Amino acid sequence: MDAQWRLSKETFVSGHSGTTIGDVFETLVGTISLAVVLHRWSLLIPNRLAGPVGRYLAESLALVVPIASVLLMDEGCGRWVLMCAVMCAIVLRGFGTNSHGSEDERGERLGYIDAYRGLTVLITCYSILAVDFNAFPRRHAKTEERGVSLMDLGSGTAVFSAGLVAGHPRRLYAPSADFQCTFCALVGIGVARLLSIKTTGYTEHVSEYGIHWNFFFTLAATLAALKATVIGVLKLSKESIKVYLVVAATIVAVTHQLFLSSYWVGAEKQVLRTGLLSANKEGIVSLPGYYVLVCFGAVFGSKIFSSSWTLMATLQMAFVSWAVVGCVLFFGVVPSRKSANLGYCALVSAINLSMILVLASFDAVLPTASKSRTVLVRLSRRQFPVFLCANILTGGVNVMINTLTISTPIASYAILRPYMVLITATPAIADAFLAQTVSL
């Protein structure tokens, strides 16, 4: 990739101001609602008519088409997509009895959690390549300093989702052997990504995480901090540990915001990166915020996997999160992905809880899903290899094709569709090589 091409790509994805919270909320909720309903429709196709390949293609289309279509729509269309999804759900409801929360092979109510994790990773994977095309709305691209956009929520959602799975009682209070493997894998991938970017001259948005830092290091560090926090209080009861995590996360969030308000504004504007810390200031200064997200995700996960958890409890937590968003906005704390400030953490928590609430509501009324491992379930269980594959494919496409010269949505979709087919097939390939465990 020559210097001029690289500079034009870096300029294309930089300097954006985002959109409104309402637009992001409507777009995400509308997208996941339509996708989950169409996916449930695809599961009604008899196996004898479709076969394994036909079933996979039907599921893949049901998931990818809504994502690829809704994310390209103009602002304000998300609410109409949501209404369309509700009407489709009403029609679909007549085809069978409601599932009352679909169960996985361990008898746990995880249907809507699988849908949440699978759809969010699909939206993230689609966006990281689609943002390099002219057809992708610039309001969805990552903001430069402060503001809200759909892609801004990607890293926060991944951390919250990882915390949710880590909060499962079988993982949160378990020995650290499995965690050590995950930690080493994340660090290894982070190092490999750093070396590949530096040696190939690939497009690099330095103001996102810094010169050497990347998201894999952030995820590894936050999960390590979560595990260290839990290990330090293992002598307490399980309920006391949850309370401790909430208190610790709250203290860190408030302290982090006070630090940002007092010192970060000036440091953020400094151009010179003379030392290792200043070279990676964005990635390092955002770590406390992502720690807050992984802790809240773990607490929510520890509760939602219990048999006593109800839809009303999720509604109450979402309401509290939105109340916190309102408070921080009232005091002028604009969400910032770069620093993962209090406004960003509150917004990510509120939107993720709202998505889970919406998907849980659809899961409660739609006909019972197939008991087999669907594409959506596989995506949920294999988030880490899926995201890794998306990064590799995105790099390959950008090296081989100058995406800025592709101006029409149809031409863009001709590249994005095969890419998404490979993404939806990745979990099945991973299942053939990895043990049947829940992955990040």
Side-chain angles (χ1 to χ4, degrees), residues 12 129-136 138 397 403 406 411-412 415-416:
F12 185 66
L129 178 57
V131 71
D132 295 319
F133 291 85
N134 289 288
F136 191 77
R138 292 299 95 189
V397 170
T403 55
I406 302 174
S412 301
I415 297 174
L416 290 168

Side-chain angles (χ1 to χ4, degrees), residues 73-148:
M73 292 181 178
D74 294 332
E75 184 175 351
C77 292
R79 69 195 71 173
W80 302 109
V81 175
L82 177 59
M83 292 176 61
C84 177
V86 171
M87 290 187 289
C88 290
I90 293 173
V91 175
L92 182 58
R93 179 65 180 84
F95 282 83
T97 57
N98 59 306
S99 62
H100 297 294
S102 54
E103 300 179 351
D104 75 344
E105 56 270 21
R106 293 166 297 178
E108 296 165 340
R109 294 176 58 171
L110 290 172
Y112 56 90
I113 297 300
D114 281 330
Y116 155 74
R117 283 171 54 81
L119 287 170
T120 51
V121 75
L122 264 187
I123 292 173
T124 301
C125 291
Y126 177 82
S127 299
I128 62 176
L129 178 57
V131 71
D132 295 319
F133 291 85
N134 289 288
F136 191 77
R138 292 299 95 189
R139 74 180 196 277
H140 291 328
K142 291 179 180 179
T143 57
E144 190 63 33
E145 294 182 0
R146 289 169 182 78
V148 180

Side-chain angles (χ1 to χ4, degrees), residues 232-248:
V233 293
L234 271 180
K235 293 182 179 180
L236 301 177
S237 66
K238 292 183 178 180
E239 286 302 318
S240 298
I241 291 177
K242 296 175 190 176
V243 173
Y244 182 85
L245 285 175
V246 172
V247 173

